[in-house]
Amino acid sequence: MKLQSALTISIITLFAIQSAQAQKDENIGTQVVNVVKPYTPTISDAFKVKETPTLDDDENTKKEEITYNIFSFPVASTFAPAKGRAATVDKEKQLELYDNYATLGLGNYGTVIGELFVTREVGESGFVGGMFRHISSEGGIDGVLLEDGFRDTSLDLIYGSNTNELSWNANLGYQNQAYNWYGLPEFFGSTFVEEDRDAMIGAIDPKHAYHNLNVGTNFEFTDAIVSEVGAKFNRFWDSYGAEENRFFIKPKFAFEINDTRIKTDVIVDYVGGSFDQDLIGIPTASYGFTNIGIHPSFNMVRDDWSIDFGVAAFYSMDMENSDNKFFIYPQINASLNVVGDLMIFYAGAEGTLQQNSYRDFTNINPFLTPGIAVAPTDRQYDVFAGLKGKLAGSVSYNIRGSFASEQNRALFKSTPYFEQLGNENFGYGNSFGIAYDEMTTLSFFGELKADFSKTVSFGIDATFSDYSVDSEQEAWNLPAIRVGSSVDVNITPKWYAGANLFYIGERKDARFMQSTDAAVMLNPVTQTIDGYFDLNAHVGYKYNDRLTAFVRLQNIANQDYQRWLDYQVQGFQAILGASYKFDF
């Protein structure tokens, strides 16, 4: 009875608990559970899965087409944006370019400078142009006994055409230069009484002139084995009967073999001339040289290094003396990017046969005596190595060391001093000749350039050289030190300025002295020409796109230095001028 009562209470309690849990989900519904037998798990037969199952590609790769919809609903907001307006942008005024310009300037010492450049398009691809240049000075250097003015005037004309396949031009030019042999020695006329000395000075006409006429052409081809051809004829003569002709043609070839570009430069260079008289009025022998050269080269580039390997061969014919020679030179340049563009190591060895001419010598030193010797220079080799790169984004550097050997190197050397009446106008030690010698040069070069901003740029460079000659006592008129520096500043959009400073170290020259016996010449005495520095500056104002005014100041420190032995330069110089741009 007690057991039955206990069982009845347990069933009622279990029913109450189930009823309480069922109250949590009113929608559970009614279910009927029929218990058949207890669950007895069994192991089914296993089926081996195929290593390469068969798939129905069409069904397995078929993609469901999905349609995207944006579910949007309004959001209450009190934000009211302000009405938009484009910001103002400061736009620089576009610089208008002009095809032509004219420049005129006037300064002390009676200095006049002028330039005129004009160009015009002809047809669809042609053009024609011309350039006129002039600079002259009346002179007036303190202490100079003879006239010391000069003049340099040139006119160049060009006609050409530019197309996709060919660019070519033909040019014609003429230049006239006038100088004075005013560099008399300090002791000039020391053995004469004052009246005879003045008479001798009055009898000297130091003026001499050079004339140069040239005609040339140049062709550049876009897709051809012959990439470029240049040719030029130059006729040069002076007021003392000297004549010189020079002609050269320079074709260039370029083609590829197995993705390697092969370049070949060819040159045929002729120079020949004669002089009516030398230092003592005797006609000198004529000269003539024809140099035929070929320079093949190819370039290899691999990752961080590149090399340009070539060789130059020349056959030189001395037309007057029937003395023909063959020369071969290295033409090798290599570079390695050590640290990207921050540090690049480069090295090489180069050589060439340099064709000298009377014309080229007068461009360097206009106070030459007629009757100089003209011959080519055998530049055997120039071996060099250096580093270049960037110290910062706007600062670049270049340092280099080299050792060069030259045969028949041309050196400017003062001519003998004859103190007697009736000499040639250039026969008082006031002109220069050419001495040839074997020379080696060890030099070091350094350069630093910086663009501090879009408005300021600066540069400085220096070269230190040590010369060794074989026959001559010194490497005449070659400085051991050269230093140059420049700075340019755009002060405002209207104003700009710049300055440059350079220093040339001391040089050596030879002074030939005549004894009291006119037939006896004493040994030359080495003269030291002091080093000098020169400071120049300019300031300009752009009135508008067309008109610019400028002031140029030269030798600001008013240095009384000599560029060549006994040839003093003008002191402080100021030139005021303007440049005007225009179109037709």
Side-chain angles (χ1 to χ4, degrees):
M1 187 66 178
K2 292 182 179 179
L3 178 61
Q4 186 177 2
S5 300
L7 181 58
T8 302
I9 294 172
S10 299
I11 292 174
I12 294 173
T13 303
L14 179 62
F15 179 79
I17 294 174
Q18 294 292 337
S19 298
Q21 292 180 349
Q23 295 301 319
K24 295 181 180 179
D25 189 354
E26 297 178 354
N27 298 321
I28 192 171
T30 60
Q31 295 182 0
V32 177
V33 178
N34 296 320
V35 179
V36 178
K37 67 175 181 177
Y39 172 71
T40 304
T42 61
I43 300 176
S44 302
D45 294 335
F47 297 95
K48 184 178 180 180
V49 179
K50 295 182 179 180
E51 294 183 359
T52 306
T54 301
L55 299 177
D56 188 348
D57 292 338
D58 292 337
E59 290 297 327
N60 285 279
T61 59
K62 185 177 181 179
K63 296 181 178 180
E64 294 288 341
E65 184 176 352
I66 301 175
T67 302
Y68 294 94
N69 294 315
I70 298 176
F71 179 70
S72 60
F73 55 90
V75 177
S77 174
T78 58
F79 174 71
K83 184 179 295 186
R85 186 178 62 179
T88 302
V89 179
D90 295 332
K91 184 178 180 181
E92 293 185 1
K93 182 181 179 181
Q94 185 176 1
L95 181 64
E96 186 173 357
L97 302 178
Y98 298 91
D99 294 333
N100 317 285
Y101 75 89
T103 300
L104 179 64
L106 303 174
N108 59 335
Y109 291 97
T111 300
V112 178
I113 63 171
E115 285 187 10
L116 175 63
F117 175 78
V118 294
T119 184
R120 184 91 175 187
E121 293 184 358
V122 178
E124 295 182 357
S125 60
F127 65 92
V128 63
M131 168 67 82
F132 171 81
R133 292 187 179 95
H134 174 84
I135 179 171
S136 62
S137 174
E138 296 179 0
I141 303 174
D142 293 339
V144 172
L145 301 177
L146 301 175
E147 184 180 352
D148 60 300
F150 67 91
R151 181 185 70 250
D152 189 344
T153 305
S154 64
L155 176 64
D156 294 284
L157 304 175
I158 186 172
Y159 175 80
S161 175
N162 295 317
T163 63
N164 294 332
E165 297 80 16
L166 172 66
S167 297
W168 72 274
N169 64 74
N171 53 77
L172 174 67
Y174 171 76
Q175 183 179 23
N176 173 255
Q177 299 167 291
Y179 297 94
N180 288 279
W181 288 299
Y182 65 87
L184 295 176
E186 295 179 358
F187 49 81
F188 173 79
S190 59
T191 61
F192 289 82
V193 296
E194 185 175 354
E195 291 79 5
D196 292 340
R197 180 176 179 270
D198 293 341
M200 187 163 58
I201 293 173
I204 299 174
D205 181 11
K207 187 176 182 179
H208 60 288
Y210 301 118
H211 305 268
N212 187 75
L213 178 67
N214 66 83
V215 58
T217 185
N218 191 77
F219 294 84
E220 293 185 12
F221 304 91
T222 302
D223 296 317
I225 295 179
V226 181
S227 60
E228 184 178 351
V229 177
K232 187 175 183 179
F233 172 76
N234 203 85
R235 171 72 173 175
F236 182 69
W237 69 99
D238 68 10
S239 54
Y240 278 77
E243 297 179 348
E244 181 182 78
N245 296 317
R246 186 174 185 182
F247 171 78
F248 66 79
I249 182 170
K250 297 180 179 179
K252 296 183 178 181
F253 303 87
F255 53 91
E256 290 187 1
I257 299 179
N258 296 330
D259 296 331
T260 300
R261 186 169 181 82
I262 308 296
K263 298 188 299 180
T264 302
D265 297 344
V266 179
I267 182 172
V268 178
D269 191 346
Y270 165 80
V271 64
S274 62
F275 298 95
D276 272 1
Q277 62 184 95
D278 63 2
L279 193 62
I280 57 178
I282 300 177
T284 60
S286 302
Y287 60 92
F289 295 90
T290 299
N291 296 336
I292 302 175
I294 183 171
H295 172 207
S297 66
F298 67 91
N299 181 262
M300 295 177 59
V301 179
R302 297 291 186 274
D303 296 329
D304 292 331
W305 63 270
S306 67
I307 182 171
D308 192 273
F309 183 82
V311 64
F314 284 87
Y315 185 71
S316 179
M317 295 176 285
D318 187 342
M319 314 296 288
E320 296 295 327
N321 302 308
S322 301
D323 184 14
N324 304 334
K325 296 179 180 179
F326 179 76
F327 304 89
I328 188 166
Y329 304 99
Q331 291 287 338
I332 303 173
N333 285 273
S335 65
L336 172 65
N337 293 358
V338 181
V339 186
D341 61 352
L342 300 179
M343 181 181 294
I344 301 173
F345 171 78
Y346 64 93
E350 298 178 342
T352 189
L353 184 63
Q354 177 180 315
Q355 183 80 289
N356 295 317
S357 68
Y358 184 35
R359 158 73 169 170
D360 293 339
F361 287 147
T362 59
N363 282 336
I364 301 173
N365 184 346
F367 309 110
L368 293 183
T369 177
I372 62 171
V374 177
T377 295
D378 174 16
R379 303 186 64 182
Q380 296 177 311
Y381 57 83
D382 181 3
V383 181
F384 60 88
L387 289 173
K388 62 181 179 180
K390 294 183 178 181
L391 297 177
S394 60
V395 181
S396 61
Y397 68 92
N398 185 11
I399 55 176
R400 164 178 167 155
S402 66
F403 182 78
S405 176
E406 297 172 285
Q407 300 282 335
N408 224 32
R409 168 62 187 264
L411 302 170
F412 295 101
K413 188 177 182 180
S414 180
T415 56
Y417 169 72
F418 295 101
E419 192 173 272
Q420 60 185 17
L421 293 172
N423 279 357
E424 295 293 336
N425 297 316
F426 48 85
Y428 297 93
N430 56 335
S431 62
F432 297 84
I434 299 293
Y436 292 91
D437 200 358
E438 299 178 12
M439 188 175 77
T440 58
T441 305
L442 176 65
S443 64
F444 297 94
F445 169 80
E447 181 183 41
L448 191 67
K449 293 182 178 180
D451 293 324
F452 298 111
S453 65
K454 293 182 179 180
T455 59
V456 181
S457 62
F458 171 79
I460 185 171
D461 63 85
T463 303
F464 304 91
S465 304
D466 180 67
Y467 309 100
S468 177
V469 291
D470 183 50
S471 301
E472 299 290 329
Q473 291 78 20
E474 300 284 348
W476 308 119
N477 283 292
L478 292 180
I481 302 175
R482 297 176 183 266
V483 180
S485 179
S486 64
V487 60
D488 290 288
V489 181
N490 290 325
I491 304 172
T492 68
K494 292 284 188 178
W495 288 93
Y496 66 91
N500 66 80
L501 172 68
F502 61 88
Y503 172 80
I504 303 296
E506 67 178 26
R507 291 133 290 142
K508 304 288 185 180
D509 204 337
R511 170 71 72 196
F512 289 85
M513 297 298 296
Q514 184 185 26
S515 68
T516 55
D517 183 354
V520 179
M521 183 67 65
L522 300 177
N523 291 329
V525 177
T526 300
Q527 301 282 313
T528 299
I529 309 173
D530 294 334
Y532 63 90
F533 74 90
D534 200 332
L535 176 62
N536 307 309
H538 65 271
V539 177
Y541 175 74
K542 299 178 182 179
Y543 179 75
N544 52 35
D545 290 343
R546 293 178 178 267
L547 182 62
T548 300
F550 62 85
V551 176
R552 298 178 185 173
L553 307 177
Q554 298 176 327
N555 196 3
I556 296 176
N558 198 30
Q559 296 292 297
D560 183 21
Y561 62 84
Q562 297 181 13
R563 176 63 183 89
W564 303 96
L565 182 62
D566 297 323
Y567 276 87
Q568 299 174 343
V569 301
Q570 295 177 347
F572 173 75
Q573 304 156 53
I575 300 174
L576 176 63
S579 180
Y580 183 75
K581 303 174 186 178
F582 61 95
D583 286 330
F584 290 119

